[in-house]
Amino acid sequence: REQNAFGAPPKVFLHGTPRQWDAKARPWVVQEKDRMAKMLREEGVEVVERMYFEGEKPTLSMHFRCLDVFDPTEGTTPT
């Protein structure tokens, strides 16, 4: 099993919004995300999915509001 430089298995974080992952007009977006997550998991990679603004009406502005709330350290272990 693969490990990173710290001896832990790799972990991938997928961040999205309802505009991306619930888009009825663009179903391939969530299909591609799900397919990638499945392939990674099959290779032993831990996949963490984070949906921002869940339950809100999908809008273009919500997509950009992620910049205000995104925390790149979320789910990481301090060294």
Side-chain angles (χ1 to χ4, degrees), residues 13-32:
F13 294 84
L14 303 177
H15 298 259
T17 67
R19 184 175 190 280
Q20 295 169 294
W21 293 350
D22 292 340
K24 304 294 185 243
R26 300 176 303 142
W28 65 87
V29 175
V30 73
Q31 291 167 359
E32 290 175 356

Side-chain angles (χ1 to χ4, degrees), residues 65-78:
R65 282 177 33 219
C66 286
L67 298 173
D68 296 327
V69 298
F70 177 75
D71 180 0
T73 63
E74 180 181 305
T76 61
T77 305

Side-chain angles (χ1 to χ4, degrees), residues 4 7 9 12-15 17-18 25 28 30 39-41 45 49 55-56 59-60 64 67 71 73-74 78:
N4 64 21
V12 172
F13 294 84
L14 303 177
H15 298 259
T17 67
W28 65 87
V30 73
M39 290 170 52
L40 288 167
R41 287 183 177 114
V45 176
E49 298 182 31
E56 292 186 25
T59 64
L60 182 58
F64 294 102
L67 298 173
D71 180 0
T73 63
E74 180 181 305

